[in-house]
Amino acid sequence: QVRLVESGGGLVQAGGSLRLSCAASGSRSSFKVMGWYRQAPGKQRDLVATISRGGTTDYADSVKGRFTISGDNAKNTVNLQMNSLKPEDTAVYYCNAEGTYSNVYYWGQGTQVTVSS
């Protein structure tokens, strides 16, 4: 059983910063990739950033240069530092993890990020 829990969302003014964190339950969990996705009302859930177990990162074009993803393989945690936030970044942000052995994707419950003008 794997459970992902996100935290760090909130309300921030445009140009501000937030740091999201995600922690996976269980000390024996192992993931190939962990990442962040987001979904705005009426929109599909889109990739924001991912990081592999080896440290390779990938970012959506819309967040490149502003967001930084980091993780800790031993602790099964992943963070997303969001700088220079824009109103269009407003969405529910979801943590995602792909199991190394189960080949199953896990999702957190989501954390709301709201960026005001």
Side-chain angles (χ1 to χ4, degrees), residues 21-90:
S21 63
C22 173
S25 65
S27 61
R28 289 184 170 85
S29 297
S30 180
F31 306 104
K32 299 176 185 176
V33 180
M34 296 187 73
W36 291 92
Y37 291 71
R38 66 186 181 186
Q39 186 169 24
K43 305 294 184 180
Q44 67 178 13
R45 187 174 298 186
D46 293 326
L47 180 147
V48 177
T50 61
I51 183 166
S52 73
R53 190 169 183 84
T56 300
T57 58
D58 186 53
Y59 296 91
D61 288 342
S62 60
V63 307
K64 286 181 179 177
R66 300 188 297 119
F67 292 8
T68 302
I69 189 169
S70 61
D72 186 326
N73 292 330
K75 296 183 180 296
N76 287 322
T77 59
V78 63
N79 302 308
L80 185 69
Q81 179 65 46
M82 305 186 295
N83 298 326
S84 301
L85 283 162
K86 304 174 180 179
E88 52 262 44
D89 295 318
T90 295

